[in-house]
Amino acid sequence: MESFGSLDPPLDARLVNCIEKDFGFTTMTPVQAACIPLFRQNKDVAVEAVTGSGKTMAFVIPIVERRLHRDDPLT
């Protein structure tokens, strides 16, 4: 299993710290490992997996990453 810090390009260190230290997730699920890189490349993704497979985090992590690096603040 891959860690969240092993993604290329890497996730923002603040986000990785939050995921690993605050939430306690040290490795990505297979759904997350497959989907996060695609979402970060603005690809369309369709996923069907059981409850608890990490689908929501796979979707939210790239959104938070993009928000962290946004030049203009959201109002």
Side-chain angles (χ1 to χ4, degrees), residues 17-63:
N17 186 55
C18 179
I19 293 167
E20 293 181 349
K21 304 287 190 251
D22 296 338
F23 298 152
F25 298 114
T26 55
T27 58
M28 292 185 283
T29 66
V31 168
Q32 293 163 345
C35 293
I36 291 173
L38 296 174
F39 282 134
R40 293 176 80 199
Q41 296 172 27
N42 297 318
K43 303 285 185 185
D44 292 334
V45 178
V47 177
E48 182 178 350
V50 299
T51 300
S53 63
K55 296 180 299 288
T56 301
M57 278 190 61
F59 178 72
V60 171
I61 288 170
I63 293 171

